[in-house]
Amino acid sequence: MTLVQLEYIIAVDTYRSFVAAAEKCFVTQPTLSMQVQKLEESLGVRIFDRTRQPIVPTEIGEEIIRQARVAVLESQQIKEIVAYKKGEVEGELKIGVIPTVAPYLLPKVLGNFMEKYPKLHLHVWEYTTEKIISELKTGVLDCGILSTPIHESGLQEHPLFYETFVAYISKESGLSKKKAVTAGDILNEKLWLLNEGHCMRNQVLNICNRRKTMNPDDAFEYNTGSVETLKRMVDTNAGVTIMPELSIAEFSVKELDQVRYFKSPEPVREISLITQQNYLKKRAIEALKNEIMRVLPKRFRNKKKKEVMEIS
C-alpha cells in the first residue's frame, strides 16, 4: 500500500470517474487504474463497483476511502509543518465563495493579495453553500467563504465579519418616508427574493418571519439568482428587496436614497472562512483572512446590537 494509491482512490471517489481522476492526478487512465487494482488485490477486496455509472465505492470501499483521506491528510501535515516554519506562502489555494459575497468582497481583496504573495496561485469558484461544504469535505477546496453558522461536523468556522442587511425600497413605497425600517414595515410590501438554494433567501425570510403574522405566500412572487436583479425588479416593478450592505458600496447618491437600515437590533449575516478541522495551507489561509480584515470597515467586526440571521 502506498500514499499514491490512496491518493488515486480518493480522486476516483471524488470525481466518480477513472478518466476524470487520472486527469486531476496528472497520470494516464491505465496507470491510475492499474494502481487502484493493485491496492484492491493487496487488500483482497473490491473498493469500487465498476458496473455502475458513475462509479461508486463498495460498502467496504467507503470505509477504506474514509481512512485513506485521514492518512493522506496526516502525511501532508509533514510538508505543512516545514512550510509553516519557513513562513512560506506559495503553491495553490482553492477557494469557494457564495455568489452573494464574491462580487462585493473579492475585488477589494484579490489585487493586493496576489501582489503580496506572487508565488501563491489562487483558484476561486462561486458556489452555493451546499456545494462548498461538499467540496471542502472531499478536499477539492482548501477553504470557503460563506454565511454561518452551518453546524457541519468535520468543518471549522473562522468568523470574519458581520454584514448588515439593508432594505432597498421603491420610490413609490410608503416606506420612503421612514428613516429606518422594521421587519413589520415590510409585511405588506412585495418582497423580491433570491432563488431556492441561496442561503441569503432563508436569512431574508427569517428576518420577515420574526413576526408571526407574516404570510410568506403573500409576500413575494419572483425569484432570481442575482442580487443586482433584485434591485432592478424594485426599480421597475416597485416593492422592496433586502440586500447585504457590501452590495451597496458602489451605489449612486440617488440609489442610496432608496436604502433603509433596520432599527436595532439590526439583522446581519455572519460571514466566515470555513476549513476542514485539521486543515492544510495555514499560512496562505491566514494571509487571506488578514487581507479580508484589512479592507473591511472596523464596524463590520462587531456584532453588538445586531442579530445574526440563521441560514436554515
Side-chain angles (χ1 to χ4, degrees), residues 104-276:
Y104 312 115
L105 178 65
L106 294 186
K108 303 174 187 292
V109 172
L110 295 186
N112 285 335
F113 185 74
M114 290 186 292
E115 190 174 321
K116 287 180 181 177
Y117 306 104
K119 293 184 179 180
L120 183 66
H121 301 284
L122 294 181
H123 302 273
V124 183
W125 292 270
E126 287 191 24
Y127 285 153
T128 62
T129 296
E130 183 179 3
K131 176 80 168 176
I132 292 173
I133 290 172
S134 173
E135 300 218 340
L136 280 172
K137 287 186 172 182
T138 57
V140 175
L141 292 176
D142 298 309
C143 63
I145 299 174
L146 46 79
S147 190
T148 52
I150 55 173
H151 309 296
E152 285 285 338
S153 62
L155 298 182
Q156 186 173 348
E157 301 176 14
H158 311 262
L160 296 171
F161 59 93
Y162 300 90
E163 183 181 16
T164 300
F165 285 110
V166 299
Y168 183 78
I169 62 175
S170 167
K171 293 177 181 179
E172 289 76 35
S173 172
L175 299 183
S176 60
K177 298 177 182 178
K178 292 179 174 285
K179 292 183 178 180
V181 297
T182 66
D185 289 332
I186 62 174
L187 291 181
N188 297 318
E189 296 283 332
K190 182 191 298 180
L191 179 62
W192 305 96
L193 289 172
L194 291 175
N195 287 335
E196 292 280 1
H198 290 271
C199 59
M200 202 182 91
R201 173 191 175 94
N202 293 338
Q203 290 169 317
V204 168
L205 286 176
N206 283 337
I207 292 171
C208 300
N209 285 337
R210 288 185 296 171
R211 293 295 186 97
K212 298 299 183 182
T213 55
M214 174 70 175
N215 184 353
D217 292 334
D218 297 332
F220 61 88
E221 59 181 52
Y222 183 85
N223 299 285
T224 178
S226 164
V227 172
E228 296 304 314
T229 301
L230 295 177
K231 172 184 172 296
R232 293 191 186 101
M233 294 305 294
V234 171
D235 290 336
T236 306
N237 299 288
V240 61
T241 192
I242 296 177
M243 309 176 72
E245 188 177 6
L246 284 177
S247 70
I248 69 172
E250 305 297 326
F251 274 21
S252 67
V253 174
K254 288 185 177 180
E255 289 171 325
L256 289 174
D257 283 341
Q258 294 174 245
V259 172
R260 296 293 182 275
Y261 283 79
F262 284 85
K263 292 180 180 179
S264 183
E266 292 179 295
V268 300
R269 62 175 180 173
E270 179 183 77
I271 301 298
S272 298
L273 196 152
I274 310 296
T275 62
Q276 290 188 356

Side-chain angles (χ1 to χ4, degrees), residues 57-84:
T58 61
E59 185 176 349
I60 193 170
E62 288 182 354
E63 295 184 39
I64 292 170
I65 293 165
R66 190 178 305 118
Q67 189 60 41
R69 291 186 185 278
V70 174
V72 170
L73 181 63
E74 289 299 320
S75 71
Q76 291 172 339
Q77 293 283 7
I78 296 172
K79 292 181 180 178
E80 178 75 6
I81 290 169
V82 175
Y84 195 87

Side-chain angles (χ1 to χ4, degrees), residues 30-50:
T31 297
L32 183 139
S33 295
M34 180 184 66
Q35 288 299 323
V36 172
Q37 187 174 350
K38 279 186 176 181
L39 179 58
E40 289 177 322
E41 290 172 354
S42 69
L43 294 174
V45 297
R46 284 288 182 188
I47 297 174
F48 295 103
D49 182 352
R50 292 165 175 78

Side-chain angles (χ1 to χ4, degrees), residues 84 89 93 105 108-109 112-113 116-117 145 158-161 273 282-296 301:
Y84 195 87
V89 181
L93 186 63
L105 178 65
K108 303 174 187 292
V109 172
N112 285 335
F113 185 74
K116 287 180 181 177
Y117 306 104
I145 299 174
H158 311 262
L160 296 171
F161 59 93
L273 196 152
K282 287 184 170 61
R283 283 283 185 190
I285 291 173
E286 277 184 16
L288 177 63
K289 180 179 178 179
N290 290 339
E291 188 63 24
I292 291 172
M293 300 307 292
R294 189 188 68 81
V295 302
L296 289 170
R301 305 177 191 178

